[in-house]
Amino acid sequence: MHTVTRFAPSPTGLLHLGHAHSALFGFQAAQQAGGVFLLRIEDIDPNRCRAEHMQGIFEDLAWLGLSWPVPVRRQSEHLADYAAALDRLHALGVVYPCFCSRKEIQEEIARAGYAPHGPEGPLYPGTCRHLPAAEAAARVAAGAPHAMRLDVAKAMARTGPLRWYDRAAGWQQAAPETLGDVVLARRDAPTSYHLAVTVDDAIQGVTLVTRGEDLFHATHVHRLLQALLSLPVPEWHHHGLLTNEAGQRLSKRDGARALRALREEGVPPAQVRAMAGFPDP
Ligand code: GLU
């Protein structure tokens, strides 16, 4: 099978060494397999994404020695693809509108006194899952702001047990319930990370999803969406995350390690590749 990998950053700031590690990881995996490495811009969040950051991503990665086919897919230009996928899920009866604000969700969790926790914090308590369909439809028709959530239990009942393969961790039993009824379309954006990434990886023919292990749990949801939408199933390779001197995961706060800063200091790309865990052979 022809290998296709991708690096899919969100243009919300400068790339740092952690991004370089992830991009090089995907690039090398494609090269070793004689395949193709894609770059994708995940810019569905209009409040956080900036065109100048997208330009910065192109510049930094090219400087680092990476190349990729153009045109680059930008999620903000493909919202109709995600809407079509959401429609299909709607037709299957596995999504529901959620009118809860963040504050209401917190209040509901506090009231219940207990909420199951997932890897990303307390799970959505399911408040809107039980709304009568007619009432929910009327509120949507009246223009009430809402997100769309996946009814994980219903969806799993439809697909039955699922598995997925990670090149580092081996076969996994899909456990999307650990993330609860995730959002598939946000109040402020017509899709969400989970839906857009799943649809795009299929449309772009990605056969090996390489990304940081911080997204390991998200893959349970993506595998479920693939089954519901009859999409091809890639392999995954979740890689470890680079840490700073204090042993914490690198983040945008480690501004000194922005690739741009290193470039401006005159650090050569080969040295930055080595700092990112990929010394030249
Ligand atoms: N856009 C995501 C991020 O910047 C990564 C998506 C993915 O690799 O699946 O964290």
Side-chain angles (χ1 to χ4, degrees), residues 3 8 12 23 35 41 50 59-60 71 117 170 172 256-257 270-271 278:
T3 298
T12 56
I41 298 295
R50 302 267 179 279
E59 278 175 35
D60 287 345
H117 265 63
Q172 305 293 314
R257 290 178 180 269
Q271 193 177 330
F278 288 88

Side-chain angles (χ1 to χ4, degrees), residues 8-91:
S10 298
T12 56
L14 296 175
L15 294 187
H16 54 66
L17 278 177
H19 294 113
H21 179 74
S22 202
L24 287 161
F25 191 95
F27 187 72
Q28 195 180 69
Q31 274 200 323
Q32 282 171 351
V36 179
F37 165 79
L38 303 177
L39 175 63
R40 179 169 75 225
I41 298 295
E42 305 217 317
D43 59 349
I44 52 169
D45 187 337
N47 300 318
R48 295 178 60 227
C49 295
R50 302 267 179 279
E52 72 256 30
H53 293 317
M54 184 175 73
Q55 283 312 320
I57 289 169
F58 296 153
E59 278 175 35
D60 287 345
L61 293 182
W63 173 76
L64 206 56
L66 303 191
S67 54
W68 52 87
V70 288
V72 166
R73 185 172 172 94
R74 285 183 65 179
Q75 291 188 326
S76 60
E77 293 172 349
H78 298 278
L79 299 181
D81 290 337
Y82 317 129
L86 191 64
D87 281 348
R88 289 180 60 191
L89 296 171
H90 205 259

